[in-house]
Amino acid sequence: MTEHPARRLLLVHAHPDDESINNGATMARYAAEGAQVTLVTCTLGERGEVIPPELAHLSGAALGQWRLGELRAAMRALGVTDFRLLGGAGRYGDSGMMGLPDNDDPHCFWQADLDEAAGHLVRVILEIRPQVLVTYDDNGGYGHPDHIQAHRVALRAAELAAGAGWEIPRICFNRVPRPVAEAAFARLEGDLPGLPFDKSAAVDDVPGVVGEERVAIEIDGTAYAAAKAAAMRAHATQIEVAEPYFALSNALAQPLFTTEYYEVVHGERTEGRAHDLFAGIEATA
């Protein structure tokens, strides 16, 4: 039987860069602590908007390959060695933003057969036997079709894997407590004149903002803030970092959160807010 590390975390994301923005500090912490951290990215983000003018010529497959290189660099910054593309490189294409003709491309992830896509992830689950799965909520955090599909595929794969011999003890969604987001944006307003960004995003532009009561786990990533920022900088086509803030291609500043938050949607919650994704499930074989 394969020997597994004591703690095993699986993250399912839509595009390169999503993992660093949402979970970079969490990934760096658990990798540093010797846990198995496995990232599955569903597309190469071939339809992403490119920020640096010198890279503006990149599009389609060429942009996808460039973003794969950025993902490799980001994983080095976080200390993560196990990262995979769902079904292999190029299996599913970026679907573009919701409502665009790109959504109708038969090769795009939004058009993928759910059970077929989930089947690729089931094989990963049965191989690594994760105790914790992290992904997006049913709106994909902010409504992007690839994020919504990543949510659907992750939960369907967890269901299928349970029937095949491994039920994931805890499934979590990425979250940000609304009071935390509001306080961070209040600080941003004061800091904006000294930043390379002209305008600020809004609280509701941040994916996964919810009331405090829905947040079950809080991961203090202060010790890994530099690693998270470095990973985000590695995704240079998509992110401009000016710590402790960043902007996407819309050039709207938003906070770079080094404490990361999770809602438990499958498995038992601990009493009060936990500070470990594995709290209460350390003994799972």
Side-chain angles (χ1 to χ4, degrees):
M1 177 177 280
T2 302
E3 190 73 24
H4 294 287
R7 297 181 297 170
R8 303 174 301 277
L9 169 63
L10 172 64
L11 305 101
V12 178
H13 277 290
H15 316 105
D17 80 5
D18 294 323
E19 80 299 321
S20 298
I21 295 170
N22 286 279
N23 311 114
T26 299
M27 294 171 72
R29 169 188 160 173
Y30 285 109
E33 291 179 357
Q36 168 139 3
V37 178
T38 299
L39 169 68
V40 174
T41 304
C42 298
T43 83
L44 288 173
E46 301 92 338
R47 300 188 192 275
E49 296 180 350
V50 176
I51 295 174
E54 65 273 18
L55 297 177
H57 63 283
L58 293 170
S59 64
L63 176 57
Q65 287 304 304
W66 188 276
R67 293 189 70 179
L68 178 56
E70 292 181 336
L71 179 62
R72 292 187 180 111
M75 293 303 95
R76 286 194 296 272
L78 298 179
V80 173
T81 58
D82 186 12
F83 54 98
R84 315 175 188 206
L85 297 169
L86 185 69
R91 178 64 185 85
Y92 298 108
D94 188 340
S95 306
M97 299 301 288
M98 187 67 83
L100 295 179
D102 300 333
N103 304 165
D104 299 324
D105 183 342
H107 176 63
C108 80
F109 190 44
W110 184 240
Q111 294 295 331
D113 179 83
L114 181 60
D115 280 357
E116 178 191 272
H120 297 304
L121 187 57
V122 168
R123 287 189 279 277
V124 178
I125 292 171
L126 296 179
E127 174 194 338
I128 68 172
R129 299 160 66 92
Q131 296 138 319
V132 180
L133 166 64
V134 169
T135 191
Y136 318 102
D137 63 18
D138 59 1
N139 188 45
Y142 71 108
H144 191 293
D146 287 332
H147 288 240
I148 295 171
Q149 188 77 319
H151 159 88
R152 293 172 178 169
V153 167
L155 267 59
R156 179 59 175 153
E159 179 184 15
L160 293 172
W166 183 257
E167 180 173 358
I168 302 173
R170 177 171 291 151
I171 299 175
C172 299
F173 291 162
N174 297 301
R175 292 301 190 195
V176 179
R178 183 166 292 276
V180 169
E182 289 173 346
F185 273 94
R187 290 191 296 272
L188 170 56
E189 283 301 319
D191 292 343
L192 194 58
L195 297 176
F197 315 117
D198 293 331
K199 296 181 180 179
S200 168
V203 168
D204 289 337
D205 293 326
V206 175
V209 173
V210 293
E212 287 269 17
E213 72 283 355
R214 299 201 28 203
V215 175
I217 302 172
E218 173 180 329
I219 302 297
D220 182 354
T222 305
Y224 304 97
K228 175 169 181 169
M232 289 174 64
R233 280 196 179 92
H235 291 290
T237 59
Q238 307 300 305
I239 307 171
E240 184 178 357
V241 177
E243 293 174 76
Y245 304 106
F246 74 98
L248 301 173
S249 60
N250 59 14
L252 298 177
Q254 57 181 296
L256 193 164
F257 294 106
T258 55
T259 297
E260 295 167 347
Y261 302 86
Y262 301 91
E263 178 181 7
V264 174
V265 296
H266 173 78
E268 291 186 16
R269 286 185 59 153
T270 59
E271 189 78 20
R273 186 173 293 181
H275 298 277
D276 180 6
L277 283 171
F278 298 92
I281 57 172
E282 294 279 359
T284 306

